[in-house]
Amino acid sequence: EHCIKALGNPILPGYTASKIRWLHNHKRDAYDALDSILLPHDYLNYYLTGEKFTECGDASGTGLLDIKTRQWHRGMLQALDPDRDLTPCLPPLIAAGDIGGRLLPAVADQLGLPHGIPVACGGGDNMMAALGTGNISPGRLTISLGTSGTLFAYSDTPCIDPQGELAAFCSSSGGWLPLLCTMNCTVATELARDLFALEISSLETLLRDSGPGANGVTVLPFYNGERTPNLPNGKGCIMGLDPDNMSRANIMQASMEAAVFGLRGGLNAFSRVGCQIGDIRLTGGGSKNAAWRQMVADNFALPVRTMALDEGAALGAAMNALLTHQGVSQGSETVSLLDEHIRFDDESTAIPNPDNTALYNESYERYLQYLEQVKPLFK
């Protein structure tokens, strides 16, 4: 609760702060030799430019950034190590749209690019996916169905969830990007598909033998542990099996539903912090599957649109470079510039089916009941 009040976010096991503390406790020689703390994309920029810098979007996930002031939080650094000031190890924070550095001659030759061209700050995968799906104004919700699952929206003000379910991250466009992340999305479906040796092409045919609610089968897909809910020691569970419903189709259907259910809880968190959602944009590998698109529309009871270019984060990175080149970082000019380049695949739009929504409401309640029962097993 104190971390949420001070930083805007709880400190989760996957955050950089937790990893630094682990290094301090278990690899003390490496910790004592620590010179710089860089996120992966910060290191790539360092390789390209020779400069150390970061931006507030990805830095929000370190657990070291005060998302309200966009500054490193000295209290958290002090809590990590009262005997050492880690501030010199952290890169300077630059604003969205700022040039981070210039391309080094040796790297330019390696890449076949001109010497000294500007390098944009870049950002985290979700922050770039927000740009690539045009999610830079209120009311739009992006859902990414990848190995992990995320849903996020844009806000002009910090969105701090007192319950800590919603990450109160900064965006890479000058605003804020309240975000919910689950660790098991397509992981759940791919493990089930591999178990039954199913080809992707046969998946939708198989699912016709099941349907919303998977005939009472429920999957808790915490194969990699889980971030939301916060169960780092969690394990996958298949619940509700009986002689009549134990089939490949039902387990596969329940696995897909579980990935969506994990994200569905985020809608309540968005409402809790005052974000009203009217538009869903789907990206990631799962967005290519028609059954999954319909499942998202039915569960969220909102129309779902997919992007003509399904690599939303990569497109967003290109947009980030364009905005930097144009000297634009936020505001209506940014929205207009990005919307010029955003294209939807209108043939893949999914409209919610009210009958299916009612069935999913029942199975979602069952999922939540099982979840509460198994939580004590994974503490």
Side-chain angles (χ1 to χ4, degrees):
E1 290 175 359
H2 183 71
C3 289
I4 293 173
K5 184 177 180 180
L7 301 170
N9 288 299
I11 305 303
L12 301 178
Y15 284 6
T16 307
S18 308
K19 296 172 183 177
I20 294 171
R21 188 65 187 174
W22 185 92
L23 195 70
H24 173 278
N25 291 344
H26 299 286
K27 301 285 184 181
R28 191 54 186 262
D29 289 345
Y31 177 81
D32 289 341
L34 185 63
D35 172 77
S36 298
I37 300 169
L38 298 176
L39 294 166
H41 98 268
D42 300 332
Y43 178 77
L44 289 175
N45 281 337
Y46 172 65
Y47 177 83
L48 294 172
T49 66
E51 303 286 343
K52 298 175 184 177
F53 57 91
T54 192
E55 54 80 44
C56 295
D58 213 9
S60 302
T62 63
L64 303 173
L65 185 79
D66 182 341
I67 62 96
K68 303 181 293 296
T69 64
R70 285 181 157 85
Q71 299 292 326
W72 299 121
H73 194 280
R74 296 193 63 82
M76 180 54 67
L77 293 169
Q78 179 73 13
L80 274 180
D81 189 343
D83 301 318
R84 179 183 179 184
D85 182 8
L86 291 169
T87 305
C89 297
L90 293 169
L93 290 154
I94 66 174
D98 283 357
I99 294 172
R102 300 276 173 174
L103 193 62
L104 293 170
V107 181
D109 291 341
Q110 180 186 6
L111 299 174
L113 295 171
H115 291 194
I117 60 173
V119 176
C121 60
D125 51 357
N126 293 311
M127 290 76 194
M128 295 297 99
L131 296 179
T133 58
N135 194 342
I136 55 170
S137 60
R140 301 171 178 180
L141 180 72
T142 296
I143 298 179
S144 177
L145 302 177
T147 303
S148 60
T150 52
L151 70 163
F152 45 85
Y154 176 86
S155 175
D156 290 320
T157 57
C159 290
I160 298 173
D161 178 12
Q163 296 184 23
E165 291 180 355
L166 208 60
F169 286 178
C170 299
S171 75
S172 291
S173 58
W176 282 265
L177 196 77
L179 177 149
L180 183 139
C181 178
T182 64
M183 300 299 291
N184 300 273
C185 188
T186 59
V187 168
T189 58
E190 288 304 289
L191 286 173
R193 196 169 61 81
D194 289 345
L195 177 66
F196 298 127
L198 289 171
E199 296 294 331
I200 293 178
S201 58
S202 64
L203 186 56
E204 292 194 31
T205 301
L206 178 72
L207 293 175
R208 295 192 191 103
D209 294 332
S210 182
N215 292 303
V217 179
T218 301
V219 170
L220 303 179
F222 309 141
Y223 302 106
N224 290 324
E226 190 48 82
R227 176 177 290 183
T228 307
N230 186 23
L231 296 172
N233 298 316
K235 301 293 181 183
C237 306
I238 303 177
M239 317 292 282
L241 292 171
D242 62 38
D244 295 324
N245 66 16
M246 187 169 177
S247 69
R248 295 188 308 166
N250 288 330
I251 293 174
M252 196 71 231
Q253 172 81 14
S255 297
M256 295 179 71
E257 290 181 6
V260 176
F261 290 163
L263 295 169
R264 176 173 168 166
L267 270 186
N268 293 331
F270 279 102
S271 297
R272 196 160 54 233
V273 299
C275 285
Q276 301 301 315
I277 305 301
D279 176 73
I280 292 181
R281 298 161 185 227
L282 205 60
T283 187
S287 67
K288 301 173 184 177
N289 184 288
W292 223 342
R293 293 194 296 268
Q294 188 62 49
M295 192 179 293
V296 172
D298 293 340
N299 270 277
F300 285 76
L302 287 168
V304 169
R305 306 177 76 186
T306 61
M307 317 308 295
L309 294 174
D310 56 14
E311 295 293 345
L315 177 61
M319 295 294 98
N320 176 254
L322 175 63
L323 294 171
T324 302
H325 177 68
Q326 299 277 8
V328 177
S329 62
Q330 56 186 315
S332 59
E333 191 177 355
T334 304
V335 176
S336 297
L337 185 60
L338 289 185
D339 281 348
E340 288 179 18
H341 297 272
I342 301 300
R343 300 288 182 272
F344 294 99
D345 180 3
D346 291 331
E347 293 183 1
S348 297
T349 297
I351 304 300
N353 180 321
D355 293 336
N356 289 348
T357 297
L359 293 171
Y360 281 125
N361 288 341
E362 294 178 9
S363 54
Y364 179 60
E365 288 302 316
R366 187 172 66 240
Y367 168 89
L368 293 177
Q369 290 170 10
Y370 280 130
L371 175 59
E372 288 305 310
Q373 293 299 315
V374 303
K375 274 183 179 179
L377 300 176
F378 302 135
K379 294 296 186 183

